């Protein structure tokens, strides 16, 4: 019968987890950038870390110190300034790092084999979210011009339906897509599917909406139907991106796993 000492975990200096004398899958490096809305240097820090996160394979999250998760980290680590960088639960740096300084802080992280398919939202709008908002404004202008045709609203008919869809689907829905993909990850603390997911959704919507409006305008039912199908497909992609955020609640999987191994003795997670 094995004695108690044989079951006592030992710390391997070369490992970030206890050595339990069995194969262990190391947790990925977790980097949390603490920011605040009033911090004028935080966007610059976020840009540096997002670029490094594209190069190195580690979990990266932007945490607002005014949110519950951020307040908890500030209280635990006695953070006094933002932006601050927390690596694996330890405060490692304050201020804006250069790319080389950021890479040095995550030296244990291997090179990323491919671009991340999910991202945590931060203070900076991503390129795809910005594209949604720019497109929304463009469709708003197009709808206004169409509805003001000849300095008056268009009479009832197919052409008016096309203009109304430019406003409702183009301006309103595109704004929801852009802001929703930016704000929901921030409110829940979970990563959203990005990359090909986001650009596929954007392409479907920007092909579908003009086709739908033109189909109404020129009385081409097949074109309007095809455009409507593409718009519904873009909605399906958006749902596939945001529903996992809501299903996982307000704590990211990486954050939960990390909390389990770094919580101090006596805490609820310990």
């Amino acid at each position: 019968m094995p004695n108690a000492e044989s079951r006592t975990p030992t710390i391997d200096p070369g490992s970030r987890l206890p050595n339990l004398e069995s194969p262990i899958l190391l947790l990925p490096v977790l980097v949390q950038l603490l920011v605040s809305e009033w911090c004028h240097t935080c966007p610059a820090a976020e840009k540096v870390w997002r670029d490094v996160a594209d190069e190195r394979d580690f979990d990266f999250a932007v945490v607002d110190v005014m949110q519950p998760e951020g307040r908890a980290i500030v209280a635990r680590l006695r953070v006094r300034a933002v932006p601050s960088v927390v690596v694996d639960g330890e405060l490692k740096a304050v201020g804006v790092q250069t790319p080389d300084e950021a890479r040095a802080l995550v030296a244990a992280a291997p090179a990323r084999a491919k671009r991340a398919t999910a991202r945590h939202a931060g203070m900076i709008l991503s390129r795809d979210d910005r594209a949604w908002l720019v497109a929304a404004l463009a469709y708003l202008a197009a709808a206004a011009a169409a509805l003001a045709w000849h300095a008056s609203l268009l009479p009832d008919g197919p052409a008016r339906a096309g203009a109304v869809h430019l406003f409702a689907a183009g301006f309103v829905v595109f704004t929801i897509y852009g802001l929703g993909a930016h704000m929901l990850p921030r409110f829940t603390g979970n990563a959203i599917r990005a990359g090909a997911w986001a650009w596929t959704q954007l392409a479907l919507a920007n092909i579908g909406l003009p086709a739908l409006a033109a189909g109404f305008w020129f009385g081409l039912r097949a074109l309007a139907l095809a455009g409507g199908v593409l718009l519904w497909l873009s909605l399906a992609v958006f749902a596939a991106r945001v529903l996992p955020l809501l299903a996982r609640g307000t704590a990211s999987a990486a954050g939960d796993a990390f909390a389990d191994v770094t919580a101090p003795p006596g805490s609820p997670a310990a």
Side-chain angles (χ1 to χ4, degrees):
M1 178 176 180
N3 55 38
E5 293 182 356
S6 65
R7 297 193 299 270
T8 301
T10 59
I11 302 300
D12 180 357
S15 171
R16 295 169 44 245
L17 289 177
N19 179 8
L20 301 180
E21 299 180 355
S22 61
I24 295 175
L25 293 177
L26 296 182
L27 289 176
V29 175
L30 174 61
V31 176
Q32 295 166 302
L33 179 65
L34 304 184
V35 300
S36 178
E37 295 286 355
W38 45 260
C39 169
H40 68 280
T41 59
C42 288
E46 181 182 338
K47 184 179 186 305
V48 170
W49 277 102
R50 286 204 181 277
D51 290 343
V52 175
D54 285 340
E55 302 173 4
R56 299 291 185 86
D57 190 4
F58 62 89
D59 290 330
F60 173 65
V62 179
V63 182
D64 191 332
V65 296
M66 300 305 293
Q67 298 296 326
E69 180 186 5
R71 289 198 297 267
I73 295 173
V74 167
R76 179 169 60 85
L77 299 179
R78 303 181 184 276
V79 177
R80 298 184 179 277
V82 290
S84 293
V85 180
V86 177
V87 180
D88 288 349
E90 297 182 4
L91 181 61
K92 292 293 187 180
V94 176
V96 181
Q97 290 73 49
T98 65
D100 287 339
E101 290 171 341
R103 294 185 190 100
L105 291 174
V106 291
R112 189 177 291 279
K114 59 181 179 179
R115 191 176 182 87
T117 57
R119 67 163 188 272
H120 287 269
M123 302 179 68
I124 304 173
L125 281 171
S126 63
R127 286 190 294 271
D128 53 284
D129 292 340
R130 191 178 298 113
W132 282 114
L133 299 180
V134 170
L137 293 176
Y139 286 125
L140 175 63
L147 290 173
W149 186 260
H150 292 307
S152 64
L153 293 178
L154 293 172
D156 289 338
R160 186 172 185 272
V164 169
H165 277 81
L166 283 177
F167 173 77
F171 175 64
V172 177
V173 175
F174 276 46
T175 300
I176 292 173
Y177 284 163
L179 294 181
H182 177 69
M183 299 304 294
L184 284 175
R186 189 168 183 181
F187 289 153
T188 62
N190 296 319
I192 188 171
R193 287 169 170 165
W197 285 86
W199 294 109
T200 298
Q201 180 195 348
L202 187 67
L204 289 170
N206 277 299
I207 295 172
L209 180 56
L212 177 65
F216 277 122
W217 194 279
F218 297 108
L220 302 175
R221 185 174 180 180
L223 182 61
L225 179 61
V229 169
L230 292 177
L231 281 177
W232 277 107
L233 288 175
S234 72
L235 176 61
V237 175
F238 181 67
R241 297 177 65 204
V242 301
L243 288 180
L245 305 182
L246 305 178
R248 288 197 297 266
T250 58
S252 67
D256 289 343
F258 179 73
D260 289 341
V261 298
T262 61
S267 67

